[in-house]
Amino acid sequence: MKVKMLSRNPDNYVRETKLDLQRVPRNYDPALHPFEVPREYTRALNAVKLERVFAKPFLASLDGHRDGVNCMAKHPKSLSTVLSGACDGEIGDDKTVKQWKMDGPEYGEEEEPLHTILGKTVYTGIDHHWNKDIFATCGQQVDIWDEQRTSPICSMTWGLDSISSVKFNPIEVMFFLIFLL
């Protein structure tokens, strides 16, 4: 009578600690795995997709605000320029429009507005024309301003209603001229 014994070395399959990875035997023969390359490509593609889904949405911090950000706007032609506004009382409801430099102040330089316009009413919205040096403000009335003037070019009211937002149409080139007529 013959007795065959199986003999295994415990070092090949037993972990030393709970943190060690389990050893899995693998056969590297390509004939046994004909779809290995497409399967690995699919796994890599799925891993990249999941990495994008679970990526952290943090892009940058909006420094300079003492309160929560209330509104944001992007530059129509520069993808890297984003403007933000907060309810921290620095600008406040003081009926003024201040034009600032897009570049931040130099070290030790005091930041001052380039141009300040004092209006008649409290403003609730503002928008700049895409191509011309004009902008519009709204509140109790809609005012069209030239950047170099301190009085509006045109003012429009619609009864007792207040307007909360104003926008220039980026597609209609002659919007300003049609709007005034």
Side-chain angles (χ1 to χ4, degrees):
M1 171 159 137
K2 279 187 173 181
V3 175
K4 293 185 181 182
M5 286 194 59
L6 293 174
S7 172
R8 293 187 182 161
N9 186 359
D11 293 336
N12 293 338
Y13 61 91
V14 175
R15 297 184 294 179
E16 292 180 12
T17 66
K18 291 181 180 181
L19 301 176
D20 288 343
L21 297 174
Q22 284 279 13
R23 292 185 183 165
V24 178
R26 183 172 175 193
N27 191 342
Y28 291 100
D29 185 13
L32 296 175
H33 304 286
F35 301 114
E36 183 176 14
V37 173
R39 183 172 40 235
E40 289 299 320
Y41 176 77
T42 304
R43 285 182 183 168
L45 189 63
N46 288 339
V48 168
K49 288 179 183 177
L50 286 175
E51 196 173 289
R52 286 184 182 174
V53 167
F54 293 115
K56 294 182 180 180
F58 180 75
L59 296 175
S61 65
L62 300 173
D63 297 332
H65 297 296
R66 289 183 281 164
D67 198 359
V69 174
N70 186 34
C71 61
M72 292 179 68
K74 67 176 184 65
H75 194 277
K77 296 179 183 171
S78 171
L79 294 175
S80 63
T81 304
V82 176
L83 306 170
S84 63
C87 297
D88 52 6
E90 287 185 15
I91 297 174
D93 295 333
D94 55 357
K95 303 177 189 176
T96 59
V97 175
K98 295 180 182 178
Q99 185 179 5
W100 303 85
K101 289 191 316 186
M102 290 301 288
D103 301 327
E106 300 292 329
Y107 181 73
E109 180 185 1
E110 187 69 27
E111 189 171 14
E112 293 291 326
L114 296 174
H115 194 62
T116 303
I117 297 172
L118 182 61
K120 297 177 183 174
T121 61
V122 175
Y123 299 117
T124 58
I126 187 169
D127 191 34
H128 196 279
H129 195 274
W130 287 59
N131 299 324
K132 299 177 182 165
D133 292 336
I134 58 173
F135 63 95
T137 59
C138 67
Q140 293 176 352
Q141 63 187 17
V142 174
D143 293 328
I144 308 295
W145 300 82
D146 186 1
E147 286 184 358
Q148 306 303 323
R149 296 180 57 181
T150 58
S151 61
I153 298 170
C154 178
S155 294
M156 295 158 279
T157 58
W158 286 271
L160 299 176
D161 293 335
S162 64
I163 295 93
S164 60
S165 180
V166 63
K167 295 284 181 196
F168 280 101
N169 188 352
I171 298 171
E172 185 65 47
V173 180
M174 300 299 289
F175 172 77
F176 178 66
L177 297 175
I178 292 171
F179 192 68
L180 289 178
L181 297 176

